[in-house]
Amino acid sequence: MPGLNYSKRFAETTTLGELKRRLYTVTGTDPASMKLEIAGVGDVTDQDATQLLAFGQTSLQVHVVDTDPLSIVNQTAQSAGDVPRYELDDQKYNERTDTFRFLVKSGQIQGATKHEEEAPTNIHTGERCQVCIAGKPRGTVRYVGAVAFAAGARVGVQFDEPVGKHDGTVKGKQYFACPPKYGAFFKPAEVEVGDFPERDLDDLV
Protein backbone atom coordinates (compact mmCIF):
# COMPACT_ATOMS: atom_id res chain seq x y z
CA MET A 1 0.00 0.00 0.00
CA PRO A 2 1.58 3.32 -0.99
CA GLY A 3 2.32 5.68 1.87
CA LEU A 4 1.61 3.19 4.66
CA ASN A 5 4.28 1.36 6.66
CA TYR A 6 3.23 -1.01 9.41
CA SER A 7 5.29 -3.16 11.77
CA LYS A 8 3.83 -6.00 13.83
CA ARG A 9 4.96 -9.25 15.40
CA PHE A 10 3.06 -12.38 14.43
CA ALA A 11 3.41 -15.95 15.62
CA GLU A 12 5.57 -17.98 13.25
CA THR A 13 2.69 -20.44 12.86
CA THR A 14 0.46 -17.70 11.39
CA THR A 15 -0.66 -18.67 7.89
CA LEU A 16 -0.70 -16.25 4.99
CA GLY A 17 -4.49 -16.54 4.95
CA GLU A 18 -4.63 -15.41 8.58
CA LEU A 19 -2.13 -12.65 7.82
CA LYS A 20 -4.39 -11.31 5.07
CA ARG A 21 -7.30 -11.11 7.48
CA ARG A 22 -5.18 -9.24 10.02
CA LEU A 23 -3.85 -6.87 7.37
CA TYR A 24 -7.42 -6.07 6.31
CA THR A 25 -7.89 -4.10 9.53
CA VAL A 26 -4.77 -2.06 8.70
CA THR A 27 -5.00 -1.54 4.94
CA GLY A 28 -8.75 -1.67 4.32
CA THR A 29 -8.12 -4.07 1.43
CA ASP A 30 -10.42 -7.09 1.18
CA PRO A 31 -8.36 -10.30 1.63
CA ALA A 32 -9.89 -11.66 -1.58
CA SER A 33 -8.37 -8.72 -3.47
CA MET A 34 -4.96 -8.79 -1.78
CA LYS A 35 -1.78 -9.55 -3.66
CA LEU A 36 1.03 -10.35 -1.21
CA GLU A 37 4.67 -9.99 -2.12
CA ILE A 38 7.48 -10.88 0.28
CA ALA A 39 10.84 -9.19 -0.24
CA GLY A 40 13.38 -11.75 -1.46
CA VAL A 41 10.67 -14.35 -2.04
CA GLY A 42 8.19 -12.91 -4.52
CA ASP A 43 4.45 -13.32 -5.02
CA VAL A 44 2.89 -15.52 -2.32
CA THR A 45 -0.73 -14.53 -2.92
CA ASP A 46 -1.99 -18.07 -3.55
CA GLN A 47 -0.22 -19.70 -0.60
CA ASP A 48 -2.89 -19.09 2.08
CA ALA A 49 -2.09 -22.32 3.94
CA THR A 50 1.64 -21.57 4.18
CA GLN A 51 2.92 -20.59 7.63
CA LEU A 52 5.35 -17.71 8.13
CA LEU A 53 7.98 -20.07 9.51
CA ALA A 54 8.21 -21.71 6.08
CA PHE A 55 10.19 -18.74 4.77
CA GLY A 56 13.01 -19.31 7.24
CA GLN A 57 13.36 -15.68 8.23
CA THR A 58 12.89 -13.95 11.58
CA SER A 59 11.72 -10.76 9.85
CA LEU A 60 9.64 -10.46 6.69
CA GLN A 61 8.88 -7.41 4.57
CA VAL A 62 5.42 -7.87 3.07
CA HIS A 63 4.05 -5.64 0.33
CA VAL A 64 0.25 -5.50 -0.05
CA VAL A 65 -1.31 -4.62 -3.40
CA ASP A 66 -5.05 -4.00 -3.77
CA THR A 67 -6.04 -5.62 -7.08
CA ASP A 68 -9.62 -4.33 -7.07
CA PRO A 69 -9.73 -1.12 -9.15
CA LEU A 70 -13.17 -0.28 -7.70
CA SER A 71 -12.16 -0.61 -4.05
CA ILE A 72 -12.43 2.35 -1.72
CA VAL A 73 -8.67 2.21 -1.18
CA ASN A 74 -7.88 2.59 -4.89
CA GLN A 75 -10.64 5.10 -5.56
CA THR A 76 -9.44 7.25 -2.68
CA ALA A 77 -5.82 7.09 -3.86
CA GLN A 78 -6.86 7.94 -7.42
CA SER A 79 -9.01 10.83 -6.31
CA ALA A 80 -6.22 12.22 -4.15
CA GLY A 81 -3.85 12.11 -7.12
CA ASP A 82 -6.26 13.48 -9.71
CA VAL A 83 -7.77 16.36 -7.79
CA PRO A 84 -5.51 19.41 -7.38
CA ARG A 85 -5.22 20.69 -3.84
CA TYR A 86 -6.51 24.16 -3.08
CA GLU A 87 -6.94 26.41 -0.10
CA LEU A 88 -10.18 28.17 0.79
CA ASP A 89 -9.71 31.53 2.47
CA ASP A 90 -11.85 32.52 5.44
CA GLN A 91 -14.07 34.88 3.45
CA LYS A 92 -14.98 32.27 0.84
CA TYR A 93 -15.50 29.70 3.57
CA ASN A 94 -17.97 32.05 5.27
CA GLU A 95 -19.89 32.36 2.01
CA ARG A 96 -20.49 28.62 1.74
CA THR A 97 -23.78 27.13 2.93
CA ASP A 98 -22.60 23.54 3.26
CA THR A 99 -20.27 23.97 6.24
CA PHE A 100 -20.77 23.51 9.96
CA ARG A 101 -19.94 27.16 10.47
CA PHE A 102 -22.97 28.11 8.37
CA LEU A 103 -25.20 25.55 10.11
CA VAL A 104 -24.21 26.85 13.54
CA LYS A 105 -24.64 30.52 12.58
CA SER A 106 -28.02 29.83 11.00
CA GLY A 107 -29.20 28.02 14.13
CA GLN A 108 -29.61 24.66 12.40
CA ILE A 109 -27.08 23.09 14.77
CA GLN A 110 -26.70 24.08 18.40
CA GLY A 111 -23.85 23.65 20.81
CA ALA A 112 -20.76 23.81 18.61
CA THR A 113 -18.21 26.46 19.49
CA LYS A 114 -15.92 27.87 16.80
CA HIS A 115 -13.06 25.82 18.25
CA GLU A 116 -15.09 22.60 18.19
CA GLU A 117 -16.45 23.35 14.74
CA GLU A 118 -13.16 23.38 12.85
CA ALA A 119 -11.09 20.29 12.12
CA PRO A 120 -7.94 19.93 14.26
CA THR A 121 -4.65 20.70 12.56
CA ASN A 122 -2.59 18.29 14.68
CA ILE A 123 -4.44 15.08 13.75
CA HIS A 124 -4.13 13.53 10.29
CA THR A 125 -5.51 10.43 8.60
CA GLY A 126 -3.13 7.48 8.69
CA GLU A 127 -1.60 8.43 12.04
CA ARG A 128 -1.52 5.97 14.90
CA CYS A 129 -3.53 7.01 17.93
CA GLN A 130 -4.81 6.19 21.39
CA VAL A 131 -8.29 7.15 22.54
CA CYS A 132 -8.77 8.60 26.01
CA ILE A 133 -11.57 6.28 27.14
CA ALA A 134 -11.67 3.19 29.35
CA GLY A 135 -8.93 0.79 28.34
CA LYS A 136 -7.28 3.44 26.13
CA PRO A 137 -7.80 1.44 22.92
CA ARG A 138 -5.42 2.06 20.05
CA GLY A 139 -5.93 2.32 16.34
CA THR A 140 -5.43 4.39 13.22
CA VAL A 141 -6.99 7.73 12.32
CA ARG A 142 -9.19 7.21 9.25
CA TYR A 143 -11.22 10.45 9.11
CA VAL A 144 -10.89 14.02 10.36
CA GLY A 145 -13.53 16.66 9.79
CA ALA A 146 -17.20 17.53 9.88
CA VAL A 147 -19.90 14.89 10.28
CA ALA A 148 -23.63 15.02 9.69
CA PHE A 149 -24.65 13.32 12.93
CA ALA A 150 -23.11 15.75 15.46
CA ALA A 151 -22.02 19.34 15.88
CA GLY A 152 -18.32 20.06 15.55
CA ALA A 153 -15.43 18.19 14.00
CA ARG A 154 -14.93 14.51 14.73
CA VAL A 155 -12.07 12.04 14.40
CA GLY A 156 -12.89 8.66 12.91
CA VAL A 157 -10.76 5.85 14.33
CA GLN A 158 -10.28 2.28 13.15
CA PHE A 159 -9.38 0.27 16.25
CA ASP A 160 -6.90 -2.61 16.26
CA GLU A 161 -9.50 -4.80 17.95
CA PRO A 162 -13.31 -5.04 17.47
CA VAL A 163 -14.18 -2.60 20.27
CA GLY A 164 -15.84 0.01 18.06
CA LYS A 165 -19.43 0.72 17.06
CA HIS A 166 -19.57 0.47 13.26
CA ASP A 167 -17.69 0.01 9.98
CA GLY A 168 -17.11 3.69 9.27
CA THR A 169 -20.69 4.30 8.17
CA VAL A 170 -23.05 6.26 10.42
CA LYS A 171 -26.74 6.80 9.64
CA GLY A 172 -26.27 5.70 6.05
CA LYS A 173 -23.27 7.93 5.30
CA GLN A 174 -19.83 6.38 4.82
CA TYR A 175 -16.93 8.40 6.21
CA PHE A 176 -14.29 5.66 5.96
CA ALA A 177 -14.16 1.88 5.54
CA CYS A 178 -13.17 -0.73 8.11
CA PRO A 179 -14.45 -4.10 9.36
CA PRO A 180 -17.68 -4.08 11.43
CA LYS A 181 -17.21 -3.10 15.10
CA TYR A 182 -13.74 -1.63 14.42
CA GLY A 183 -14.82 1.97 13.78
CA ALA A 184 -15.85 4.84 16.07
CA PHE A 185 -15.91 8.65 16.17
CA PHE A 186 -14.56 10.92 18.89
CA LYS A 187 -14.06 14.57 19.64
CA PRO A 188 -10.52 15.68 18.76
CA ALA A 189 -9.70 16.27 22.45
CA GLU A 190 -10.31 12.57 23.12
CA VAL A 191 -7.75 11.37 20.56
CA GLU A 192 -4.00 11.40 21.10
CA VAL A 193 -1.77 10.72 18.10
CA GLY A 194 1.79 9.47 18.36
CA ASP A 195 3.87 6.32 18.65
CA PHE A 196 1.14 3.89 19.62
CA PRO A 197 1.95 0.53 18.00
CA GLU A 198 -0.60 -2.25 18.02
CA ARG A 199 -0.52 -4.03 21.37
CA ASP A 200 0.67 -7.63 21.48
CA LEU A 201 -1.58 -10.23 22.99
CA ASP A 202 0.64 -10.30 26.07
CA ASP A 203 -0.06 -6.61 26.64
CA LEU A 204 -3.81 -7.23 26.65
CA VAL A 205 -3.72 -9.84 29.42
Side-chain angles (χ1 to χ4, degrees):
M1 302 296 293
L4 175 62
N5 293 309
Y6 174 73
S7 298
K8 172 66 179 173
R9 289 184 297 172
F10 293 98
E12 62 181 10
T13 54
T14 301
T15 65
L16 290 179
E18 293 170 345
L19 180 63
K20 288 180 181 179
R21 289 189 287 274
R22 294 296 299 274
L23 290 176
Y24 173 38
T25 67
V26 178
T27 64
T29 298
D30 190 312
S33 301
M34 276 189 190
K35 177 181 179 182
L36 293 187
E37 299 173 346
I38 295 181
V41 176
D43 189 343
V44 294
T45 303
D46 299 325
Q47 301 181 34
D48 282 2
T50 302
Q51 297 180 336
L52 297 181
L53 59 84
F55 300 104
Q57 302 179 39
T58 58
S59 178
L60 295 173
Q61 182 177 344
V62 181
H63 181 219
V64 180
V65 178
D66 191 326
T67 62
D68 181 3
L70 300 180
S71 70
I72 292 177
V73 173
N74 281 329
Q75 289 184 13
T76 301
Q78 182 177 0
S79 298
D82 293 344
V83 180
R85 297 185 63 181
Y86 70 96
E87 293 184 0
L88 191 66
D89 61 40
D90 205 51
Q91 180 179 350
K92 290 182 178 179
Y93 184 77
N94 285 332
E95 294 173 353
R96 296 179 66 107
T97 60
D98 59 349
T99 66
F100 266 94
R101 182 178 297 177
F102 173 81
L103 295 176
V104 171
K105 288 182 178 179
S106 63
Q108 298 180 52
I109 291 181
Q110 302 294 328
T113 65
K114 186 177 187 301
H115 175 71
E116 293 172 332
E117 165 197 345
E118 298 180 348
T121 58
N122 62 329
I123 301 177
H124 306 90
T125 56
E127 291 184 319
R128 291 289 299 173
C129 66
Q130 179 172 275
V131 180
C132 301
I133 60 176
K136 293 188 176 181
R138 296 179 178 180
T140 303
V141 176
R142 295 300 186 200
Y143 179 87
V144 181
V147 294
F149 57 84
R154 290 293 186 272
V155 177
V157 175
Q158 176 181 330
F159 288 122
D160 296 331
E161 304 295 334
V163 295
K165 298 181 178 180
H166 49 68
D167 61 357
T169 297
V170 179
K171 294 185 178 181
K173 180 177 176 61
Q174 184 180 54
Y175 296 92
F176 62 94
C178 70
K181 299 297 183 181
Y182 277 79
F185 279 95
F186 300 92
K187 293 181 178 180
E190 298 174 310
V191 179
E192 180 182 2
V193 296
D195 184 17
F196 296 111
E198 185 176 349
R199 291 188 174 98
D200 294 321
L201 293 179
D202 292 342
D203 297 330
L204 301 176
V205 177

